[in-house]
Amino acid sequence: MSPQTSDADLAVRGAARIDWIRSRMTLLAGVRARFADEQPFAGHRIGMSLHLEPKTAVLLETLQAGGAEVVATGNHGSTQDDIVAHLRGQGMTVHGTRADTLEQHHANVAAVDAARPSILLDNGADLAALAAARVDAAAVAAGDPTGGTGIIGGTEETTSGGMRLRTELAGRLPFPLIVINDSLLKAIGENKHSVGQSVVESIMRITNLRIAGRRFLVAGYGWCGRGIAQYLRAMGGKVAVAEIDDLKAFEAAWDGYRVGSIVDLAGWAEVVITATGHPDVVTAEVVDALADGTVLANAGHFPWEIDVPGLYALAIGRTTLDEAIERVDLPGGRHVVLLAEGRMMNLAGREPKGNSIEAMDLGFLLQALSLERVARDPASLVAGAQPVPDAIEREIARGMLAAMGAHR
Ligand code: NAI
């Protein structure tokens, strides 16, 4: 982006990108029309901290249509300036730019808290932690359900934020926070099907290798691993699974995959993909067993599943071959190919797409309906972290089926 690009130019570009995304977020379109009619968020200020990109923009528009005043910031390093410009043009208060330092990012989150939102849309429990510091014990004792913060409740997008609410912040928040990522619907729609699709798309996009007939080893047969294995096989890949949980390993075996230990299967694989959420899955012992030229990729959240420092310590040479592709030469004449330095590979390389529009439509509908529950009936929820109410999950599943013409 040239420094001369004006805010107005940026906003026009942002608006055009959002138009395409909005046109395919049909679930949110339905709820936006109802919200516009019913105004469930009238009088509320929603404070948000979440990736600022086109799909999030459609969620924010939906909340604004329902009467909310929106004060928002993004995640560090992923804010899209054209989207910010567009949202500001729509009357929202948005803090942050892509170039922000970590310090500036923290200041942005603090600015959202300082706007004294009445409802939170949180990510990683950053806003909840700031709110917890403002909770007044006397107000709680006097029966104020906001604990003097003015916050009636909110949502938390991530599993890691949910963990934080259940540990570090347990018992410190008098208001409810619905953890969106705990939803079964989201696990099916996003972790399984969307990650499955995007990991396969990303291997093809980053490496340009064929899938058909190639041997893939997927480590972890949880929600993401199941999807990755399924989509690789659908494209003609031969898939093996390494899973430490007995029941999931059994499921993988009866789903028709070759199952074994990662060390035993390492020499068979041409591509190894980790999706466990745990550290040190591809260790020096695994690397030792790999065939020459094996590709290593990680789909898990943290860049620790492939022991990259350990791999680099073994290396006798390293060459960047292309964006997100690195050749690592090992003693004895073998080499491996590491994608995205072991970071989440489906968000790496040129023009990563991330999760499919429909998966985000589903996830953000969970957000919108959970926030509506908070706004309309906070007393129906308990204080602190909790899953998405079952009725909301089922309503969305029915809506999704109807949208696909799968009437029952
Ligand atoms: P999950 O808990 O459903 O599955 C993880 C599986 O890995 C479990 O079955 C567990 O037994 C297994 N496992 C743990 N350690 C292992 C080891 N050393 N070897 C083999 N298997 C092992 O979790 P889910 O939903 O599949 O998520 C996995 C990771 O993917 C998490 O880090 C999550 O944050 C991340 N994720 C990534 C996304 C992306 O776009 N790339 C999107 C959503 C989640």
mmCIF file with all atom_site columns, all heavy atoms in Angstrom, residues 281-292:
data_model
loop_
_atom_site.group_PDB
_atom_site.id
_atom_site.type_symbol
_atom_site.label_atom_id
_atom_site.label_alt_id
_atom_site.label_comp_id
_atom_site.label_asym_id
_atom_site.label_entity_id
_atom_site.label_seq_id
_atom_site.pdbx_PDB_ins_code
_atom_site.Cartn_x
_atom_site.Cartn_y
_atom_site.Cartn_z
_atom_site.occupancy
_atom_site.B_iso_or_equiv
_atom_site.pdbx_formal_charge
_atom_site.auth_seq_id
_atom_site.auth_comp_id
_atom_site.auth_asym_id
_atom_site.auth_atom_id
_atom_site.pdbx_PDB_model_num
ATOM 1  N N   . VAL A 1 281 ? 5.829  -32.835 18.627 1.00 0.00 ? 281 VAL A N   1
ATOM 2  C CA  . VAL A 1 281 ? 5.251  -34.018 17.984 1.00 0.00 ? 281 VAL A CA  1
ATOM 3  C C   . VAL A 1 281 ? 6.259  -34.567 16.967 1.00 0.00 ? 281 VAL A C   1
ATOM 4  O O   . VAL A 1 281 ? 6.527  -35.765 16.921 1.00 0.00 ? 281 VAL A O   1
ATOM 5  C CB  . VAL A 1 281 ? 3.911  -33.651 17.316 1.00 0.00 ? 281 VAL A CB  1
ATOM 6  C CG1 . VAL A 1 281 ? 3.313  -34.865 16.613 1.00 0.00 ? 281 VAL A CG1 1
ATOM 7  C CG2 . VAL A 1 281 ? 2.932  -33.103 18.366 1.00 0.00 ? 281 VAL A CG2 1
ATOM 8  N N   . VAL A 1 282 ? 6.835  -33.663 16.173 1.00 0.00 ? 282 VAL A N   1
ATOM 9  C CA  . VAL A 1 282 ? 7.910  -34.076 15.261 1.00 0.00 ? 282 VAL A CA  1
ATOM 10 C C   . VAL A 1 282 ? 9.232  -33.743 15.953 1.00 0.00 ? 282 VAL A C   1
ATOM 11 O O   . VAL A 1 282 ? 9.697  -32.607 15.954 1.00 0.00 ? 282 VAL A O   1
ATOM 12 C CB  . VAL A 1 282 ? 7.794  -33.370 13.895 1.00 0.00 ? 282 VAL A CB  1
ATOM 13 C CG1 . VAL A 1 282 ? 8.990  -33.705 13.008 1.00 0.00 ? 282 VAL A CG1 1
ATOM 14 C CG2 . VAL A 1 282 ? 6.498  -33.773 13.202 1.00 0.00 ? 282 VAL A CG2 1
ATOM 15 N N   . THR A 1 283 ? 9.790  -34.754 16.579 1.00 0.00 ? 283 THR A N   1
ATOM 16 C CA  . THR A 1 283 ? 11.026 -34.604 17.356 1.00 0.00 ? 283 THR A CA  1
ATOM 17 C C   . THR A 1 283 ? 12.225 -35.042 16.522 1.00 0.00 ? 283 THR A C   1
ATOM 18 O O   . THR A 1 283 ? 12.068 -35.525 15.394 1.00 0.00 ? 283 THR A O   1
ATOM 19 C CB  . THR A 1 283 ? 10.957 -35.513 18.591 1.00 0.00 ? 283 THR A CB  1
ATOM 20 O OG1 . THR A 1 283 ? 10.718 -36.853 18.105 1.00 0.00 ? 283 THR A OG1 1
ATOM 21 C CG2 . THR A 1 283 ? 9.831  -35.118 19.535 1.00 0.00 ? 283 THR A CG2 1
ATOM 22 N N   . ALA A 1 284 ? 13.409 -34.930 17.112 1.00 0.00 ? 284 ALA A N   1
ATOM 23 C CA  . ALA A 1 284 ? 14.630 -35.368 16.422 1.00 0.00 ? 284 ALA A CA  1
ATOM 24 C C   . ALA A 1 284 ? 14.527 -36.851 16.058 1.00 0.00 ? 284 ALA A C   1
ATOM 25 O O   . ALA A 1 284 ? 14.984 -37.268 14.987 1.00 0.00 ? 284 ALA A O   1
ATOM 26 C CB  . ALA A 1 284 ? 15.842 -35.111 17.314 1.00 0.00 ? 284 ALA A CB  1
ATOM 27 N N   . GLU A 1 285 ? 13.879 -37.629 16.914 1.00 0.00 ? 285 GLU A N   1
ATOM 28 C CA  . GLU A 1 285 ? 13.736 -39.064 16.643 1.00 0.00 ? 285 GLU A CA  1
ATOM 29 C C   . GLU A 1 285 ? 12.893 -39.295 15.379 1.00 0.00 ? 285 GLU A C   1
ATOM 30 O O   . GLU A 1 285 ? 13.193 -40.180 14.571 1.00 0.00 ? 285 GLU A O   1
ATOM 31 C CB  . GLU A 1 285 ? 13.066 -39.732 17.862 1.00 0.00 ? 285 GLU A CB  1
ATOM 32 C CG  . GLU A 1 285 ? 13.074 -41.247 17.792 1.00 0.00 ? 285 GLU A CG  1
ATOM 33 C CD  . GLU A 1 285 ? 12.203 -41.883 18.879 1.00 0.00 ? 285 GLU A CD  1
ATOM 34 O OE1 . GLU A 1 285 ? 11.561 -41.148 19.658 1.00 0.00 ? 285 GLU A OE1 1
ATOM 35 O OE2 . GLU A 1 285 ? 12.171 -43.128 18.920 1.00 0.00 ? 285 GLU A OE2 1
ATOM 36 N N   . VAL A 1 286 ? 11.841 -38.477 15.229 1.00 0.00 ? 286 VAL A N   1
ATOM 37 C CA  . VAL A 1 286 ? 10.990 -38.586 14.033 1.00 0.00 ? 286 VAL A CA  1
ATOM 38 C C   . VAL A 1 286 ? 11.782 -38.148 12.805 1.00 0.00 ? 286 VAL A C   1
ATOM 39 O O   . VAL A 1 286 ? 11.779 -38.823 11.764 1.00 0.00 ? 286 VAL A O   1
ATOM 40 C CB  . VAL A 1 286 ? 9.706  -37.740 14.193 1.00 0.00 ? 286 VAL A CB  1
ATOM 41 C CG1 . VAL A 1 286 ? 8.874  -37.768 12.917 1.00 0.00 ? 286 VAL A CG1 1
ATOM 42 C CG2 . VAL A 1 286 ? 8.886  -38.213 15.383 1.00 0.00 ? 286 VAL A CG2 1
ATOM 43 N N   . VAL A 1 287 ? 12.482 -37.032 12.939 1.00 0.00 ? 287 VAL A N   1
ATOM 44 C CA  . VAL A 1 287 ? 13.271 -36.508 11.807 1.00 0.00 ? 287 VAL A CA  1
ATOM 45 C C   . VAL A 1 287 ? 14.274 -37.566 11.356 1.00 0.00 ? 287 VAL A C   1
ATOM 46 O O   . VAL A 1 287 ? 14.499 -37.779 10.152 1.00 0.00 ? 287 VAL A O   1
ATOM 47 C CB  . VAL A 1 287 ? 13.991 -35.194 12.209 1.00 0.00 ? 287 VAL A CB  1
ATOM 48 C CG1 . VAL A 1 287 ? 14.998 -34.777 11.139 1.00 0.00 ? 287 VAL A CG1 1
ATOM 49 C CG2 . VAL A 1 287 ? 12.954 -34.088 12.436 1.00 0.00 ? 287 VAL A CG2 1
ATOM 50 N N   . ASP A 1 288 ? 14.840 -38.260 12.302 1.00 0.00 ? 288 ASP A N   1
ATOM 51 C CA  . ASP A 1 288 ? 15.829 -39.292 12.007 1.00 0.00 ? 288 ASP A CA  1
ATOM 52 C C   . ASP A 1 288 ? 15.254 -40.380 11.101 1.00 0.00 ? 288 ASP A C   1
ATOM 53 O O   . ASP A 1 288 ? 15.955 -40.956 10.283 1.00 0.00 ? 288 ASP A O   1
ATOM 54 C CB  . ASP A 1 288 ? 16.277 -39.894 13.353 1.00 0.00 ? 288 ASP A CB  1
ATOM 55 C CG  . ASP A 1 288 ? 17.599 -40.608 13.209 1.00 0.00 ? 288 ASP A CG  1
ATOM 56 O OD1 . ASP A 1 288 ? 18.450 -40.082 12.470 1.00 0.00 ? 288 ASP A OD1 1
ATOM 57 O OD2 . ASP A 1 288 ? 17.737 -41.700 13.798 1.00 0.00 ? 288 ASP A OD2 1
ATOM 58 N N   . ALA A 1 289 ? 13.941 -40.622 11.250 1.00 0.00 ? 289 ALA A N   1
ATOM 59 C CA  . ALA A 1 289 ? 13.305 -41.709 10.500 1.00 0.00 ? 289 ALA A CA  1
ATOM 60 C C   . ALA A 1 289 ? 12.741 -41.245 9.153  1.00 0.00 ? 289 ALA A C   1
ATOM 61 O O   . ALA A 1 289 ? 12.244 -42.064 8.380  1.00 0.00 ? 289 ALA A O   1
ATOM 62 C CB  . ALA A 1 289 ? 12.184 -42.312 11.352 1.00 0.00 ? 289 ALA A CB  1
ATOM 63 N N   . LEU A 1 290 ? 12.785 -39.943 8.854  1.00 0.00 ? 290 LEU A N   1
ATOM 64 C CA  . LEU A 1 290 ? 12.161 -39.431 7.622  1.00 0.00 ? 290 LEU A CA  1
ATOM 65 C C   . LEU A 1 290 ? 12.989 -39.793 6.390  1.00 0.00 ? 290 LEU A C   1
ATOM 66 O O   . LEU A 1 290 ? 14.223 -39.825 6.440  1.00 0.00 ? 290 LEU A O   1
ATOM 67 C CB  . LEU A 1 290 ? 12.031 -37.899 7.688  1.00 0.00 ? 290 LEU A CB  1
ATOM 68 C CG  . LEU A 1 290 ? 11.090 -37.330 8.748  1.00 0.00 ? 290 LEU A CG  1
ATOM 69 C CD1 . LEU A 1 290 ? 11.217 -35.807 8.788  1.00 0.00 ? 290 LEU A CD1 1
ATOM 70 C CD2 . LEU A 1 290 ? 9.634  -37.744 8.479  1.00 0.00 ? 290 LEU A CD2 1
ATOM 71 N N   . ALA A 1 291 ? 12.266 -39.995 5.277  1.00 0.00 ? 291 ALA A N   1
ATOM 72 C CA  . ALA A 1 291 ? 12.951 -40.232 4.004  1.00 0.00 ? 291 ALA A CA  1
ATOM 73 C C   . ALA A 1 291 ? 13.441 -38.900 3.434  1.00 0.00 ? 291 ALA A C   1
ATOM 74 O O   . ALA A 1 291 ? 12.938 -37.827 3.816  1.00 0.00 ? 291 ALA A O   1
ATOM 75 C CB  . ALA A 1 291 ? 11.986 -40.900 3.028  1.00 0.00 ? 291 ALA A CB  1
ATOM 76 N N   . ASP A 1 292 ? 14.387 -38.989 2.522  1.00 0.00 ? 292 ASP A N   1
ATOM 77 C CA  . ASP A 1 292 ? 14.927 -37.793 1.883  1.00 0.00 ? 292 ASP A CA  1
ATOM 78 C C   . ASP A 1 292 ? 13.807 -37.016 1.177  1.00 0.00 ? 292 ASP A C   1
ATOM 79 O O   . ASP A 1 292 ? 13.008 -37.596 0.458  1.00 0.00 ? 292 ASP A O   1
ATOM 80 C CB  . ASP A 1 292 ? 15.986 -38.238 0.860  1.00 0.00 ? 292 ASP A CB  1
ATOM 81 C CG  . ASP A 1 292 ? 16.694 -37.060 0.230  1.00 0.00 ? 292 ASP A CG  1
ATOM 82 O OD1 . ASP A 1 292 ? 16.879 -36.030 0.920  1.00 0.00 ? 292 ASP A OD1 1
ATOM 83 O OD2 . ASP A 1 292 ? 17.057 -37.148 -0.965 1.00 0.00 ? 292 ASP A OD2 1
#
